[in-house]
mmCIF file of all heavy atoms in Angstrom:
data_model
loop_
_atom_site.group_PDB
_atom_site.id
_atom_site.type_symbol
_atom_site.label_atom_id
_atom_site.label_comp_id
_atom_site.label_asym_id
_atom_site.label_seq_id
_atom_site.Cartn_x
_atom_site.Cartn_y
_atom_site.Cartn_z
ATOM 1 N N ILE A 975 12.391 -30.433 -30.529
ATOM 2 C CA ILE A 975 12.373 -29.125 -29.879
ATOM 3 C C ILE A 975 12.945 -28.112 -30.861
ATOM 4 O O ILE A 975 14.108 -28.195 -31.254
ATOM 5 C CB ILE A 975 13.198 -29.120 -28.572
ATOM 6 C CG1 ILE A 975 12.820 -30.310 -27.678
ATOM 7 C CG2 ILE A 975 13.012 -27.799 -27.850
ATOM 8 C CD1 ILE A 975 11.374 -30.329 -27.265
ATOM 9 N N ARG A 976 12.138 -27.151 -31.231
ATOM 10 C CA ARG A 976 12.562 -26.136 -32.199
ATOM 11 C C ARG A 976 12.593 -24.772 -31.523
ATOM 12 O O ARG A 976 11.848 -24.524 -30.568
ATOM 13 C CB ARG A 976 11.613 -26.124 -33.400
ATOM 14 C CG ARG A 976 11.601 -27.445 -34.134
ATOM 15 C CD ARG A 976 10.399 -27.623 -35.034
ATOM 16 N NE ARG A 976 10.381 -26.655 -36.109
ATOM 17 C CZ ARG A 976 9.416 -26.602 -37.029
ATOM 18 N NH1 ARG A 976 8.392 -27.457 -36.978
ATOM 19 N NH2 ARG A 976 9.458 -25.701 -37.983
ATOM 20 N N VAL A 977 13.457 -23.909 -32.006
ATOM 21 C CA VAL A 977 13.622 -22.585 -31.423
ATOM 22 C C VAL A 977 13.383 -21.526 -32.487
ATOM 23 O O VAL A 977 14.032 -21.528 -33.534
ATOM 24 C CB VAL A 977 15.030 -22.419 -30.803
ATOM 25 C CG1 VAL A 977 15.195 -21.017 -30.227
ATOM 26 C CG2 VAL A 977 15.276 -23.464 -29.722
ATOM 27 N N TYR A 978 12.452 -20.620 -32.215
ATOM 28 C CA TYR A 978 12.131 -19.529 -33.133
ATOM 29 C C TYR A 978 13.297 -18.546 -33.215
ATOM 30 O O TYR A 978 13.937 -18.260 -32.188
ATOM 31 C CB TYR A 978 10.868 -18.823 -32.627
ATOM 32 C CG TYR A 978 10.383 -17.677 -33.487
ATOM 33 C CD1 TYR A 978 9.525 -17.921 -34.550
ATOM 34 C CD2 TYR A 978 10.784 -16.370 -33.227
ATOM 35 C CE1 TYR A 978 9.069 -16.879 -35.330
ATOM 36 C CE2 TYR A 978 10.330 -15.330 -34.001
ATOM 37 C CZ TYR A 978 9.474 -15.583 -35.053
ATOM 38 O OH TYR A 978 9.027 -14.542 -35.826
ATOM 39 N N PRO A 979 13.639 -18.010 -34.402
ATOM 40 C CA PRO A 979 12.961 -18.228 -35.692
ATOM 41 C C PRO A 979 13.547 -19.398 -36.482
ATOM 42 O O PRO A 979 14.356 -19.206 -37.377
ATOM 43 C CB PRO A 979 13.201 -16.909 -36.414
ATOM 44 C CG PRO A 979 14.527 -16.438 -35.890
ATOM 45 C CD PRO A 979 14.644 -16.939 -34.476
ATOM 46 N N ASP A 980 13.154 -20.589 -36.113
ATOM 47 C CA ASP A 980 13.532 -21.781 -36.852
ATOM 48 C C ASP A 980 13.025 -21.655 -38.279
ATOM 49 O O ASP A 980 11.910 -21.209 -38.520
ATOM 50 C CB ASP A 980 12.917 -23.003 -36.167
ATOM 51 C CG ASP A 980 13.309 -24.296 -36.841
ATOM 52 O OD1 ASP A 980 12.808 -24.548 -37.951
ATOM 53 O OD2 ASP A 980 14.106 -25.049 -36.268
ATOM 54 N N GLY A 981 13.838 -22.077 -39.222
ATOM 55 C CA GLY A 981 13.462 -21.893 -40.620
ATOM 56 C C GLY A 981 12.569 -22.965 -41.189
ATOM 57 O O GLY A 981 12.271 -22.944 -42.386
ATOM 58 N N GLY A 982 12.123 -23.901 -40.368
ATOM 59 C CA GLY A 982 11.304 -24.996 -40.875
ATOM 60 C C GLY A 982 9.866 -24.584 -41.157
ATOM 61 O O GLY A 982 9.489 -23.416 -41.098
ATOM 62 N N ASN A 983 9.056 -25.586 -41.443
ATOM 63 C CA ASN A 983 7.643 -25.369 -41.737
ATOM 64 C C ASN A 983 6.876 -25.124 -40.440
ATOM 65 O O ASN A 983 6.833 -25.983 -39.563
ATOM 66 C CB ASN A 983 7.088 -26.599 -42.463
ATOM 67 C CG ASN A 983 5.615 -26.454 -42.788
ATOM 68 O OD1 ASN A 983 5.060 -25.349 -42.728
ATOM 69 N ND2 ASN A 983 4.984 -27.561 -43.140
ATOM 70 N N TYR A 984 6.258 -23.961 -40.325
ATOM 71 C CA TYR A 984 5.515 -23.608 -39.113
ATOM 72 C C TYR A 984 4.116 -24.218 -39.081
ATOM 73 O O TYR A 984 3.461 -24.208 -38.042
ATOM 74 C CB TYR A 984 5.394 -22.092 -38.998
ATOM 75 C CG TYR A 984 6.692 -21.372 -38.684
ATOM 76 C CD1 TYR A 984 6.782 -19.990 -38.791
ATOM 77 C CD2 TYR A 984 7.820 -22.067 -38.276
ATOM 78 C CE1 TYR A 984 7.964 -19.320 -38.509
ATOM 79 C CE2 TYR A 984 9.005 -21.413 -37.999
ATOM 80 C CZ TYR A 984 9.068 -20.039 -38.115
ATOM 81 O OH TYR A 984 10.239 -19.378 -37.838
ATOM 82 N N ASP A 985 3.648 -24.738 -40.210
ATOM 83 C CA ASP A 985 2.269 -25.229 -40.265
ATOM 84 C C ASP A 985 2.039 -26.447 -39.387
ATOM 85 O O ASP A 985 0.898 -26.740 -39.009
ATOM 86 C CB ASP A 985 1.881 -25.560 -41.714
ATOM 87 C CG ASP A 985 1.703 -24.311 -42.562
ATOM 88 O OD1 ASP A 985 1.686 -23.205 -41.991
ATOM 89 O OD2 ASP A 985 1.585 -24.436 -43.797
ATOM 90 N N ASP A 986 3.116 -27.182 -39.053
ATOM 91 C CA ASP A 986 2.937 -28.375 -38.222
ATOM 92 C C ASP A 986 3.131 -28.076 -36.738
ATOM 93 O O ASP A 986 3.108 -28.984 -35.903
ATOM 94 C CB ASP A 986 3.887 -29.485 -38.668
ATOM 95 C CG ASP A 986 5.357 -29.108 -38.471
ATOM 96 O OD1 ASP A 986 5.628 -27.925 -38.182
ATOM 97 O OD2 ASP A 986 6.225 -29.993 -38.626
ATOM 98 N N VAL A 987 3.309 -26.807 -36.380
ATOM 99 C CA VAL A 987 3.504 -26.427 -34.983
ATOM 100 C C VAL A 987 2.152 -26.128 -34.345
ATOM 101 O O VAL A 987 1.433 -25.225 -34.775
ATOM 102 C CB VAL A 987 4.420 -25.193 -34.851
ATOM 103 C CG1 VAL A 987 4.520 -24.748 -33.396
ATOM 104 C CG2 VAL A 987 5.800 -25.497 -35.411
ATOM 105 N N THR A 988 1.808 -26.888 -33.328
ATOM 106 C CA THR A 988 0.544 -26.666 -32.611
ATOM 107 C C THR A 988 0.766 -26.194 -31.172
ATOM 108 O O THR A 988 -0.152 -25.719 -30.524
ATOM 109 C CB THR A 988 -0.292 -27.963 -32.577
ATOM 110 O OG1 THR A 988 0.461 -28.984 -31.916
ATOM 111 C CG2 THR A 988 -0.653 -28.402 -33.998
ATOM 112 N N PHE A 989 2.007 -26.334 -30.668
ATOM 113 C CA PHE A 989 2.304 -26.032 -29.270
ATOM 114 C C PHE A 989 3.532 -25.127 -29.207
ATOM 115 O O PHE A 989 4.608 -25.478 -29.696
ATOM 116 C CB PHE A 989 2.580 -27.337 -28.511
ATOM 117 C CG PHE A 989 2.593 -27.209 -27.008
ATOM 118 C CD1 PHE A 989 1.499 -27.611 -26.251
ATOM 119 C CD2 PHE A 989 3.700 -26.704 -26.343
ATOM 120 C CE1 PHE A 989 1.510 -27.517 -24.863
ATOM 121 C CE2 PHE A 989 3.723 -26.597 -24.959
ATOM 122 C CZ PHE A 989 2.622 -27.000 -24.218
ATOM 123 N N ALA A 990 3.359 -23.952 -28.576
ATOM 124 C CA ALA A 990 4.462 -23.008 -28.426
ATOM 125 C C ALA A 990 4.739 -22.754 -26.953
ATOM 126 O O ALA A 990 3.811 -22.611 -26.150
ATOM 127 C CB ALA A 990 4.140 -21.695 -29.131
ATOM 128 N N LEU A 991 6.004 -22.706 -26.590
ATOM 129 C CA LEU A 991 6.460 -22.390 -25.242
ATOM 130 C C LEU A 991 7.082 -21.003 -25.316
ATOM 131 O O LEU A 991 8.075 -20.803 -26.030
ATOM 132 C CB LEU A 991 7.472 -23.434 -24.780
ATOM 133 C CG LEU A 991 8.006 -23.373 -23.359
ATOM 134 C CD1 LEU A 991 6.877 -23.448 -22.342
ATOM 135 C CD2 LEU A 991 9.005 -24.499 -23.130
ATOM 136 N N ALA A 992 6.501 -20.025 -24.602
ATOM 137 C CA ALA A 992 6.866 -18.638 -24.868
ATOM 138 C C ALA A 992 7.155 -17.833 -23.611
ATOM 139 O O ALA A 992 6.605 -18.087 -22.537
ATOM 140 C CB ALA A 992 5.743 -17.966 -25.654
ATOM 141 N N TRP A 993 8.032 -16.838 -23.781
ATOM 142 C CA TRP A 993 8.294 -15.833 -22.749
ATOM 143 C C TRP A 993 8.820 -14.575 -23.434
ATOM 144 O O TRP A 993 9.855 -14.596 -24.086
ATOM 145 C CB TRP A 993 9.299 -16.330 -21.721
ATOM 146 C CG TRP A 993 9.437 -15.373 -20.566
ATOM 147 C CD1 TRP A 993 10.368 -14.384 -20.416
ATOM 148 C CD2 TRP A 993 8.581 -15.284 -19.428
ATOM 149 N NE1 TRP A 993 10.144 -13.680 -19.259
ATOM 150 C CE2 TRP A 993 9.047 -14.228 -18.624
ATOM 151 C CE3 TRP A 993 7.454 -16.002 -19.013
ATOM 152 C CZ2 TRP A 993 8.441 -13.860 -17.431
ATOM 153 C CZ3 TRP A 993 6.852 -15.640 -17.821
ATOM 154 C CH2 TRP A 993 7.340 -14.586 -17.034
ATOM 155 N N ASN A 994 8.087 -13.474 -23.294
ATOM 156 C CA ASN A 994 8.480 -12.213 -23.920
ATOM 157 C C ASN A 994 8.871 -12.417 -25.377
ATOM 158 O O ASN A 994 9.963 -12.040 -25.815
ATOM 159 C CB ASN A 994 9.617 -11.548 -23.132
ATOM 160 C CG ASN A 994 9.114 -10.821 -21.902
ATOM 161 O OD1 ASN A 994 8.222 -9.984 -21.990
ATOM 162 N ND2 ASN A 994 9.682 -11.136 -20.748
ATOM 163 N N HIS A 995 7.960 -13.018 -26.116
ATOM 164 C CA HIS A 995 8.182 -13.294 -27.530
ATOM 165 C C HIS A 995 8.162 -11.991 -28.343
ATOM 166 O O HIS A 995 7.614 -10.978 -27.878
ATOM 167 C CB HIS A 995 7.069 -14.215 -28.036
ATOM 168 C CG HIS A 995 5.718 -13.569 -28.011
ATOM 169 N ND1 HIS A 995 5.014 -13.386 -26.838
ATOM 170 C CD2 HIS A 995 4.961 -13.016 -29.002
ATOM 171 C CE1 HIS A 995 3.871 -12.768 -27.111
ATOM 172 N NE2 HIS A 995 3.824 -12.533 -28.413
ATOM 173 N N PRO A 996 8.720 -11.982 -29.546
ATOM 174 C CA PRO A 996 8.568 -10.815 -30.416
ATOM 175 C C PRO A 996 7.085 -10.643 -30.770
ATOM 176 O O PRO A 996 6.449 -11.582 -31.265
ATOM 177 C CB PRO A 996 9.385 -11.172 -31.655
ATOM 178 C CG PRO A 996 10.286 -12.292 -31.226
ATOM 179 C CD PRO A 996 9.549 -13.029 -30.157
ATOM 180 N N LEU A 997 6.522 -9.484 -30.477
ATOM 181 C CA LEU A 997 5.102 -9.279 -30.742
ATOM 182 C C LEU A 997 4.802 -9.518 -32.220
ATOM 183 O O LEU A 997 5.515 -9.035 -33.092
ATOM 184 C CB LEU A 997 4.688 -7.860 -30.327
ATOM 185 C CG LEU A 997 4.786 -7.536 -28.834
ATOM 186 C CD1 LEU A 997 4.296 -6.122 -28.562
ATOM 187 C CD2 LEU A 997 3.993 -8.537 -27.998
ATOM 188 N N GLY A 998 3.736 -10.261 -32.470
ATOM 189 C CA GLY A 998 3.353 -10.590 -33.836
ATOM 190 C C GLY A 998 3.883 -11.919 -34.321
ATOM 191 O O GLY A 998 3.483 -12.396 -35.390
ATOM 192 N N ALA A 999 4.781 -12.540 -33.543
ATOM 193 C CA ALA A 999 5.385 -13.801 -33.992
ATOM 194 C C ALA A 999 4.353 -14.913 -34.133
ATOM 195 O O ALA A 999 4.456 -15.763 -35.019
ATOM 196 C CB ALA A 999 6.489 -14.229 -33.027
ATOM 197 N N PHE A 1000 3.325 -14.907 -33.270
ATOM 198 C CA PHE A 1000 2.351 -16.005 -33.283
ATOM 199 C C PHE A 1000 1.558 -16.077 -34.591
ATOM 200 O O PHE A 1000 1.061 -17.144 -34.950
ATOM 201 C CB PHE A 1000 1.378 -15.867 -32.110
ATOM 202 C CG PHE A 1000 2.015 -16.052 -30.760
ATOM 203 C CD1 PHE A 1000 1.688 -15.209 -29.708
ATOM 204 C CD2 PHE A 1000 2.935 -17.059 -30.539
ATOM 205 C CE1 PHE A 1000 2.270 -15.368 -28.459
ATOM 206 C CE2 PHE A 1000 3.523 -17.228 -29.289
ATOM 207 C CZ PHE A 1000 3.197 -16.374 -28.245
ATOM 208 N N ARG A 1001 1.427 -14.949 -35.280
ATOM 209 C CA ARG A 1001 0.624 -14.979 -36.511
ATOM 210 C C ARG A 1001 1.288 -15.807 -37.621
ATOM 211 O O ARG A 1001 0.648 -16.125 -38.626
ATOM 212 C CB ARG A 1001 0.332 -13.563 -37.003
ATOM 213 C CG ARG A 1001 1.532 -12.757 -37.416
ATOM 214 C CD ARG A 1001 1.109 -11.454 -38.110
ATOM 215 N NE ARG A 1001 2.251 -10.582 -38.347
ATOM 216 C CZ ARG A 1001 2.542 -9.523 -37.619
ATOM 217 N NH1 ARG A 1001 1.748 -9.179 -36.614
ATOM 218 N NH2 ARG A 1001 3.598 -8.778 -37.887
ATOM 219 N N GLU A 1002 2.564 -16.138 -37.435
ATOM 220 C CA GLU A 1002 3.257 -16.970 -38.422
ATOM 221 C C GLU A 1002 2.881 -18.451 -38.280
ATOM 222 O O GLU A 1002 3.216 -19.253 -39.146
ATOM 223 C CB GLU A 1002 4.769 -16.810 -38.271
ATOM 224 C CG GLU A 1002 5.263 -15.373 -38.441
ATOM 225 C CD GLU A 1002 6.771 -15.273 -38.277
ATOM 226 O OE1 GLU A 1002 7.475 -16.111 -38.877
ATOM 227 O OE2 GLU A 1002 7.231 -14.380 -37.537
ATOM 228 N N PHE A 1003 2.196 -18.796 -37.190
ATOM 229 C CA PHE A 1003 1.848 -20.192 -36.912
ATOM 230 C C PHE A 1003 0.334 -20.368 -37.101
ATOM 231 O O PHE A 1003 -0.452 -20.072 -36.210
ATOM 232 C CB PHE A 1003 2.284 -20.567 -35.494
ATOM 233 C CG PHE A 1003 3.763 -20.424 -35.249
ATOM 234 C CD1 PHE A 1003 4.297 -19.204 -34.858
ATOM 235 C CD2 PHE A 1003 4.613 -21.498 -35.444
ATOM 236 C CE1 PHE A 1003 5.651 -19.065 -34.644
ATOM 237 C CE2 PHE A 1003 5.980 -21.369 -35.231
ATOM 238 C CZ PHE A 1003 6.504 -20.144 -34.841
#
Side-chain angles (χ1 to χ4, degrees):
I975 311 300
R976 299 162 64 180
V977 179
Y978 181 87
D980 182 288
N983 179 15
Y984 290 168
D985 288 350
D986 64 349
V987 175
T988 60
F989 193 102
L991 185 58
W993 187 265
N994 280 306
H995 65 285
L997 295 182
F1000 293 137
R1001 64 170 172 258
E1002 301 180 47
F1003 300 86

